[in-house]
Amino acid sequence: MMSADMDAVEAENQVELEEKTRLINQVLELQHTLEDLSARVDSVKEENLKLKSENQVLGQYIENLMSASSVFQTTDTKSKRK
């Protein structure tokens, strides 16, 4: 091969190598991003379950307060209409 042909092949190989390196780095970055997002989703799911549980406790507490209070008791309208 002539020197010019060899230089052209080497330049082409260098471009391919740089492109492969760029793509590999991009894939690795996307993998890290996916891992971060997955961890965030897990964290949000846990927080959601915790908040649901707290809401159930608060709902039951409010229900108990309302049933214990005379303000929220039903009244018998027939006895008051004499």
Side-chain angles (χ1 to χ4, degrees), residues 48-65:
N48 187 17
L49 288 174
K50 180 182 170 190
L51 290 173
K52 277 184 179 180
S53 175
E54 288 176 5
N55 282 343
Q56 286 177 339
V57 169
L58 288 172
Q60 186 62 46
Y61 177 72
I62 290 170
E63 212 174 283
N64 291 341
L65 284 176

Side-chain angles (χ1 to χ4, degrees), residues 1-2 6 12-14 16 19 21-22 25-27 38 42 44-45 47 51 58-60 64 68 72 75 77:
M1 272 192 157
M2 299 177 87
M6 290 177 67
E12 199 175 300
N13 287 341
Q14 184 64 28
E16 284 182 23
E19 179 66 10
T21 302
R22 187 185 68 76
N25 288 335
Q26 191 175 17
V27 166
S38 181
D42 290 342
V44 168
K45 281 182 180 179
E47 183 68 18
L51 290 173
L58 288 172
Q60 186 62 46
N64 291 341
F72 296 105
T75 57
T77 55

